[in-house]
Amino acid sequence: TEFGIPANGAVVNVRNAAPLTAGLIFGWPAGLIAGFVGGVERWFSHAGDFTRLACSIGTIVAGILGAGVRKFMMDNKKASWFYGLAVGVTSEVLHMLLVFLTNAEDIQRAFTVVKICAIPMIAAFPPNIPSIPSLRLAPFETAVTTMIVTITNRIQPASSL
């Protein structure tokens, strides 16, 4: 959240990568704790108030999802990069769905936020999955996310939303 890019009441970032990876690599206690800590941090940070609830829930769900995949699909073994990638993309798609569900009273703005954030957040997620959260470098993530947002805006400028 702190290194994310503000975009129309939301923050484009890869916050869900840490709890998802914690769950996939270390199991349910790590996924649940990392998801809860990330969700609480997101709730109390005042970046992107419009998506606060969706992002807080999404971060907790990412940790639970990673832990659940490891326990029930991987037989408590570490997931391969392919499963990490698939679960990461699924996590971000669920995150975008939560933006709609938690902001149904202003669906047009929710659609605009998802339109701006979905591609950069989903595209920036895969490089973060194989990494162990403590080894990830936030400035690198910010650079990758900034590049993807810039490319997305060139393809479809925010003014046309």
Side-chain angles (χ1 to χ4, degrees):
T1 304
E2 305 308 319
F3 295 102
I5 300 166
N8 197 27
V11 178
V12 178
N13 61 28
V14 288
R15 179 187 336 91
N16 290 0
L20 183 68
T21 304
L24 284 171
I25 294 176
F26 302 110
W28 73 266
L32 189 61
I33 291 168
F36 184 73
V37 168
V40 168
E41 185 277 332
R42 175 61 182 95
W43 181 260
F44 288 107
S45 74
H46 294 288
D49 288 339
F50 182 74
T51 58
R52 176 188 288 178
L53 180 60
C55 293
S56 296
I57 294 170
T59 303
I60 295 167
V61 167
I64 294 169
L65 182 64
V69 166
R70 178 183 167 110
K71 177 146 179 87
F72 298 111
M73 291 180 69
M74 304 281 97
D75 232 6
N76 262 339
K77 296 178 183 143
K78 291 180 185 173
S80 68
W81 68 269
F82 176 77
Y83 284 104
L85 176 68
V87 173
V89 169
T90 302
S91 170
E92 284 302 324
V93 169
L94 288 172
H95 190 156
M96 296 302 127
L97 179 62
L98 283 169
V99 172
F100 284 118
L101 294 176
T102 59
N103 294 295
E105 70 281 348
D106 192 358
I107 200 73
Q108 186 62 39
R109 184 170 176 203
F111 180 77
T112 302
V113 166
V114 168
K115 197 172 183 181
I116 292 169
C117 297
I119 293 173
M121 287 176 70
I122 292 170
F125 208 87
N128 292 288
I129 288 298
S131 62
I132 295 174
S134 62
L135 299 178
R136 289 178 26 239
L137 300 173
F140 173 73
E141 292 173 0
T142 303
V144 169
T145 306
T146 303
M147 181 183 69
I148 292 169
V149 168
T150 303
I151 291 169
T152 305
N153 283 337
R154 285 187 184 158
I155 294 169
Q156 181 172 2
S159 61
S160 68
L161 299 177

